[in-house]
Amino acid sequence: MNPTTKGMLWALSAVLTGSWLPVFYVHTHISNDPFVWRSWLLVFQVLTLLPVFFLVPAGNKRWLENARRLLFYWGDGGEPVRVRNPLQVLRTPALWIAVCFTFDLAFWVWAATLIDPLVVTIIFQLMLIGMVWMAARLGRKISGGQRSSPHVISGKHWTLMFLSFLGAALVIWSETGLVRTLNWLGIAVALFSTATAAGSLWGTVSLGRLMGWPTRDHHDLVWNATFAAVAGRVLALPLTLVGSFLFFPPSGDGFDVTWNLMGLFAATGVFNAAGALSHRYSLYVTSSLSVQRIMFFSPVFQMLWLWLFADVSIANPQALLVGTGIVLLSNLGWQSKQL
């Protein structure tokens, strides 16, 4: 199968599984403290990612070496470099992955309590554009100036990427089309959530490539990226608890942990694991980043799942149809591997 086609199919699989997160959030919202919800989600994401280590047919499963490479960063020449002093820890992808996993979805939930969730959801779609930008930038760096970057995207496909974003924004707008609450604090929190989400998404993929350097085998890279995702979430858990104390000091209000709630968290973790696995393959099996605009179909399926399982109505179906059409048309463009 053509690598670009294979990447598109993996990305579509990521859309179908990853788009369930808003529905699961509606049914697992257990506290006014978003860091509490994020902490529980981190635990179940780790538990459901563990089987991936046995499912991915990687030929080089380097547990100890990968653990050591948590203290590596990308050198100026595009090669892995080991940390030699405490200050260089700030350059390691592992540190920033842990920070990003701490704040990404917690700030997404927090922003939705400060301003209209409609605006938060639209802003959050910029996460994919940020991830593609970081991928293209690092791809050029590690190619060593030989123009053999493992991640490329052309100017034309940047245009199609932004067109897909506009279509996704229209889809989201179709829910109500009315902005009820808006303030600068909420927008700032939403933008910070979007930036950290882009960092956590791309960071695991980047660290997976660093851990497997110099291999280009996509099975090995996916296995390494899964290792990075699990390690990043384990490191993020204590930071998330600290975030809870800093931003939402304990008030004495508890919540009931039921078997039903645990089942929903487990289901969230399973769908997340499947979506993350598919997304990593979509980035590794082809060098063309243009296939990532398929991910903008995610809001379409999010609206469908919310309408079916969360009693959310679509106030403006015309905007939904037009937005879906724009995303579809922008994904029919020719896929290029050229810069």
Side-chain angles (χ1 to χ4, degrees):
M1 184 184 293
N2 181 281
T4 301
T5 302
K6 188 182 296 184
M8 292 173 66
L9 292 176
W10 277 113
L12 182 58
S13 175
V15 166
L16 292 172
T17 50
S19 59
W20 284 86
L21 181 61
V23 173
F24 286 124
Y25 168 71
V26 169
H27 295 292
T28 58
H29 187 54
I30 56 178
S31 171
N32 291 327
D33 180 352
F35 287 92
V36 170
W37 175 77
R38 184 54 173 142
S39 298
W40 280 99
L41 187 58
L42 284 171
V43 171
F44 279 92
Q45 284 177 327
V46 167
L47 292 176
T48 52
L49 279 170
L50 293 179
V52 173
F53 290 122
F54 304 97
L55 295 174
V56 175
N60 192 6
K61 300 181 178 182
R62 307 182 301 178
W63 298 86
L64 185 58
E65 180 63 23
N66 278 11
R68 290 171 178 162
R69 293 228 168 180
L70 291 172
L71 292 176
F72 277 67
Y73 61 92
W74 291 106
D76 296 334
E79 74 288 342
V81 177
R82 183 176 176 80
V83 167
R84 298 186 183 278
N85 60 67
L87 190 60
Q88 289 180 336
V89 174
L90 296 175
R91 301 182 63 179
T92 59
L95 172 66
W96 293 107
I97 290 173
V99 172
C100 288
F101 275 136
T102 298
F103 294 107
D104 55 3
L105 294 182
F107 269 50
W108 170 60
V109 175
W110 187 9
T113 67
L114 297 172
I115 59 176
D116 198 305
L118 186 76
V119 178
V120 177
T121 309
I122 291 174
I123 292 175
F124 199 72
Q125 301 308 307
L126 292 169
M127 169 266 298
L128 185 65
I129 294 177
M131 185 277 292
V132 169
W133 177 80
M134 286 189 288
R137 184 173 179 272
L138 180 62
R140 288 195 213 62
K141 180 177 182 179
I142 65 180
S143 67
Q146 301 175 8
R147 315 310 295 169
S148 58
S149 170
H151 300 286
V152 296
I153 186 169
S154 67
K156 179 181 75 173
H157 292 296
W158 269 121
T159 302
L160 292 173
M161 182 76 69
F162 280 101
L163 187 62
S164 296
F165 165 74
L166 293 177
L170 260 181
V171 169
I172 296 166
W173 185 261
S174 69
E175 183 184 348
T176 62
L178 298 173
V179 176
R180 297 181 179 87
T181 309
L182 196 62
N183 56 65
W184 287 112
L185 177 60
I187 292 175
V189 173
L191 288 172
F192 187 77
S193 164
T194 302
T196 51
S200 60
L201 182 64
W202 170 244
T204 56
V205 177
S206 172
L207 185 55
R209 188 172 290 280
L210 187 151
M211 287 177 169
W213 185 268
T215 183
R216 287 179 178 261
D217 181 88
H218 56 264
H219 292 308
D220 287 345
L221 292 172
V222 167
W223 193 91
N224 292 332
T226 302
F227 188 100
V230 169
R233 284 175 169 88
V234 170
L235 293 172
L237 186 55
L239 293 177
T240 307
L241 298 176
V242 170
S244 177
F245 280 100
L246 289 178
F247 294 102
F248 295 86
S251 60
D253 297 329
F255 56 87
D256 295 326
V257 179
T258 64
W259 286 111
N260 182 54
L261 183 62
M262 293 297 99
L264 286 170
F265 269 120
T268 307
V270 169
F271 277 80
N272 170 262
L277 183 69
S278 298
H279 199 190
R280 287 164 198 151
Y281 268 112
S282 76
L283 285 161
Y284 284 141
V285 298
T286 175
S287 63
S288 177
L289 283 170
S290 61
V291 303
Q292 292 301 306
R293 64 180 181 268
I294 294 176
M295 299 297 295
F296 283 111
F297 272 114
S298 186
V300 178
F301 287 97
Q302 286 176 8
M303 288 297 176
L304 176 61
W305 309 144
L306 287 168
W307 176 63
L308 290 174
F309 302 106
D311 195 27
V312 172
S313 61
I314 305 300
N316 192 341
Q318 293 85 359
L320 175 64
L321 292 175
V322 172
T324 303
I326 291 174
V327 177
L328 178 61
L329 288 174
S330 66
N331 274 281
L332 295 178
W334 174 64
Q335 300 285 352
S336 172
K337 292 185 179 181
Q338 303 301 317
L339 286 171

